[in-house]
Amino acid sequence: VLNINYSGLSYLRRGITVANFYIDANKDNQDSTVDAVYINNVMQVRLINLHIANAKRDGIHIENSEDGYVIFCEIVSCDRHGFFSNGALYELEHVGAEQNGNRGIYLLGDSNVVVDCWAISNGGHGFMIEGGERNIIDRGLQGRPSINSKE
């Protein structure tokens, strides 16, 4: 649906920002490999105020990328993970994952920070950080806050 893929480059592309979108990936009309947002080989990714729903695979899938900031995003009803990243140095703040088929928020990699995020009624783990070092989870929220409250 939104595919930013610089896999052919020998370096990381710098500075991608996606902000203020509602994305309905319409999973009934997609094949099994489609993520709502797919980003590959990018440094300094910024995802701000996104509402993502109904992906056949992941809501947000970030691969081989680093130094990212994801804030005020909701990911709901995707068939696999709500948010997946195998990159390093990601900060997630006020990110919610609900009713996704597997994990709500799934991070592989080092030095990731998760603050004021929530995961509700996902098919697998709500939060999963696998491998890596220096990862921080702070103030996991009880229940679902208003995404626009910015408190």
Side-chain angles (χ1 to χ4, degrees), residues 93-111:
E93 187 174 340
H94 292 284
V95 175
E98 297 181 37
Q99 300 174 350
N100 296 292
N102 200 336
R103 295 171 181 100
I105 295 174
Y106 183 20
L107 299 170
L108 297 169
D110 295 329
S111 303

Side-chain angles (χ1 to χ4, degrees), residues 8-27:
L9 299 177
S10 60
Y11 58 90
L12 294 177
R13 176 79 178 165
R14 290 184 177 271
I16 299 292
T17 298
V18 179
N20 304 316
F21 277 97
Y22 177 88
I23 299 172
D24 184 337
N26 192 11
K27 64 183 164 187

Side-chain angles (χ1 to χ4, degrees), residues 19-38:
N20 304 316
F21 277 97
Y22 177 88
I23 299 172
D24 184 337
N26 192 11
K27 64 183 164 187
D28 292 336
N29 291 316
Q30 303 294 332
D31 68 37
S32 62
T33 63
V34 175
D35 301 306
V37 175
Y38 176 81

Side-chain angles (χ1 to χ4, degrees), residues 72-135:
F72 298 116
C73 294
E74 286 185 305
I75 307 123
V76 298
S77 299
C78 299
D79 282 356
R80 198 168 79 154
H81 310 308
F83 179 91
F84 170 83
S85 171
N86 71 355
L89 301 168
Y90 269 83
E91 182 175 341
L92 280 66
E93 187 174 340
H94 292 284
V95 175
E98 297 181 37
Q99 300 174 350
N100 296 292
N102 200 336
R103 295 171 181 100
I105 295 174
Y106 183 20
L107 299 170
L108 297 169
D110 295 329
S111 303
N112 295 295
V113 178
V114 178
V115 178
D116 290 338
C117 295
W118 68 98
I120 300 170
S121 300
N122 295 288
H125 301 289
F127 296 91
M128 184 165 184
I129 297 179
E130 186 174 354
E133 300 176 341
R134 300 174 306 279
N135 292 299

Side-chain angles (χ1 to χ4, degrees), residues 43-63:
M43 184 176 204
Q44 298 170 333
V45 173
R46 304 295 181 255
L47 302 176
I48 303 164
N49 196 32
L50 303 179
H51 180 90
I52 296 168
N54 302 316
K56 191 69 169 184
R57 209 168 86 131
D58 298 340
I60 297 173
H61 184 108
I62 300 173
E63 198 166 329

